[in-house]
Structures are given as C-alpha cells and as structure tokens.
Amino acid sequence: MYDEILVPTDGSEAVDRALDHAVRLASDHDATVHALYVVDQRIATANSGDLHDEIVEDLQTQGEEAVAAVAERAEEAGLDAETSIVRGTPDTEIVSYADERGIDVIVMSPEGKSPRERIQSLGSVSDRVADDASVPVFLIK
C-alpha cells in the first residue's frame, strides 16, 4: 500500500515524533523513507545583503544534518532511505517532490515552523501541504 514515504524535515524535535510514525509505517510496508529539507528561499531573499551567502550556507548545513538524522533512523530500522535538499518555498517543494517521486504518503508534524513563519504568521506549512497534496498527509502532533 505504501512503498514511498516522505518525511519533510526542518531538524526540529517535532520531526522526531513524526519520524517515529513514519518508520513504523515504513517497516510495516517495507517502504523507502524519503527525507526532504527545503532551504526556504524567502529567508535567503529577505537577507540579500552581505549575510546572504552565509545564511544560505547555514540553511544548507542545517538541511544536511536534518536529512542525515532522518536517514539514520530509517536505516537503523533496516529501511532504505533517500535524502534530498532543495531550494524554494517549503510547502510548494514538498508537494512537488511528492508528485515527482511517486510518494504514497507524507508524514509530518504541524509544529515545526520556520522563524520567518512565526514572525510573519504566514500560516502552517503542514496545513498548506495537506490542502495541496495529491496523496494522504499524516499530521503527527
């Protein structure tokens, strides 16, 4: 039923709770776990001055650590894992990744918001993903 499971990650503790469910689901279905981190271009664009490159580099490093942590947990459970880091708007990129990679289900937490979203109240990435995705989205609180 589920062969490809996507776990979007921002590296927060909320992802750990969602990952527990994703790993269990993947184990039950012998599925591949996909870890996706989106370098939020809105943050990079908002900081177009001298710090732009440093901010993008920091976000890239955070992403590498975040997807590695998801992959490690999946592999410890004997599962295949794929990692990806992309640039763009998180909800748009998550939905696009799911569509392009034939993802069967997205498992994420509604609690991990970027600093920019908290400040500007742009809304929940998970809400927008749930609204726009063509596959089931499990929101784990």
Side-chain angles (χ1 to χ4, degrees):
M1 181 175 204
Y2 300 124
D3 295 322
E4 308 293 330
I5 298 173
L6 174 58
V7 180
T9 181
D10 61 3
S12 69
E13 289 180 20
V15 173
D16 290 338
R17 291 188 297 277
L19 185 55
D20 289 340
H21 290 273
V23 167
R24 189 173 325 124
L25 187 62
S27 293
D28 289 347
H29 295 275
D30 193 29
T32 298
V33 174
H34 294 254
L36 175 66
Y37 180 91
V38 181
V39 175
D40 193 335
Q41 283 301 117
R42 298 170 299 178
I43 295 172
T45 302
N47 297 289
S48 59
D50 294 338
L51 295 177
H52 176 268
D53 292 343
E54 184 177 334
I55 290 169
V56 170
E57 186 177 315
D58 286 347
L59 291 171
Q60 182 75 26
T61 299
Q62 288 174 14
E64 290 167 4
E65 293 169 359
V67 297
V70 171
E72 182 178 327
R73 288 270 305 277
E75 290 166 356
E76 286 173 355
L79 300 166
D80 291 333
E82 293 185 21
T83 63
S84 185
I85 299 172
V86 298
R87 292 185 181 184
T89 305
D91 56 295
T92 302
E93 295 302 325
I94 292 166
V95 171
S96 293
Y97 184 96
D99 289 342
E100 292 167 6
R101 302 288 177 99
I103 297 298
D104 299 305
V105 65
I106 301 168
V107 181
M108 60 191 303
S109 172
E111 298 170 9
K113 291 184 179 180
S114 72
R116 180 179 171 111
E117 284 180 324
R118 282 190 215 113
I119 292 168
Q120 295 190 350
S121 299
L122 293 174
S124 169
V125 169
S126 61
D127 287 344
R128 291 192 302 273
V129 169
D131 287 344
D132 297 338
S134 61
V135 297
V137 178
F138 295 167
L139 300 178
I140 310 300
K141 288 192 171 211

